[in-house]
Amino acid sequence: MFDNDQLSAIARYLKKQHVLSVCGGNPVWCANCFYLFNAEKAAFWLMTETTTRHGEQMREDEQVAGTVNGQPKSVLLIKGVQYAGRIALLEGDEEQAARRAYIKRFPIAARATAPLWEIKLDELKMTDNALGFGKKLSWTRE
């Protein structure tokens, strides 16, 4: 998986969540999508149509950023991740393997025909107040 302890902690959190925000384009637009985190590739896989506003923008500009977070009621329990990366449509064998994994996590997706996208992460920053107020963990792709 990852050598870095901070990245391993971030990955454990991301594997427990299932919705991310993805933002990009000009003008900037955001959308929420179900995702599967691929720890070995440091990447998110998500499913969305190319004809949506965000899908069209992502085809034009691969740079995206976004967040993954829960909804705790106590500020002491806040955990969340900010990310930046590059998004692309998956094709061929990569797409088929990702689709199998995605459907395993989200069985309802077996009925969907939307394409799968991969966000290859360049940077992750996690706030984890459970480790101390404002504690940050970070990772950057080399």
Side-chain angles (χ1 to χ4, degrees), residues 4 6-7 10 123-126 136-140:
N4 183 309
Q6 289 192 13
L7 191 50
I10 295 169
E123 182 178 358
L124 290 166
K125 184 173 90 172
M126 180 176 181
K136 307 285 192 244
L137 306 174
S138 61
W139 171 83
T140 304

Side-chain angles (χ1 to χ4, degrees), residues 20-89:
L20 59 70
S21 69
V22 59
C23 308
N26 185 11
V28 175
W29 191 252
C30 298
N32 292 319
C33 299
F34 284 93
Y35 75 86
L36 177 63
F37 181 65
N38 181 308
E40 289 73 34
K41 295 180 80 173
F44 292 120
W45 291 332
L46 60 96
M47 184 181 282
T48 193
E49 294 288 351
T50 58
T51 55
T52 61
R53 183 172 176 178
H54 59 281
E56 289 174 354
Q57 287 181 317
M58 293 183 309
R59 289 188 76 164
E60 291 176 20
D61 185 355
E62 68 177 3
Q63 283 299 133
V64 294
T67 60
V68 176
N69 63 287
Q71 299 289 322
K73 291 186 178 188
S74 169
V75 71
L76 298 175
L77 300 176
I78 288 175
K79 293 181 184 184
V81 172
Q82 295 166 283
Y83 72 86
R86 290 163 281 123
I87 194 164
L89 284 166

Side-chain angles (χ1 to χ4, degrees), residues 1-2 6-16 37 39:
M1 188 162 104
F2 299 115
Q6 289 192 13
L7 191 50
S8 293
I10 295 169
R12 280 191 301 275
Y13 174 77
L14 291 173
K15 286 185 171 191
K16 292 177 184 174
F37 181 65

Side-chain angles (χ1 to χ4, degrees), residues 113-133:
T113 59
L116 275 170
W117 302 70
E118 179 177 84
I119 301 173
K120 184 176 180 182
L121 297 165
D122 294 323
E123 182 178 358
L124 290 166
K125 184 173 90 172
M126 180 176 181
T127 299
D128 187 348
N129 283 356
L131 299 175
F133 186 75

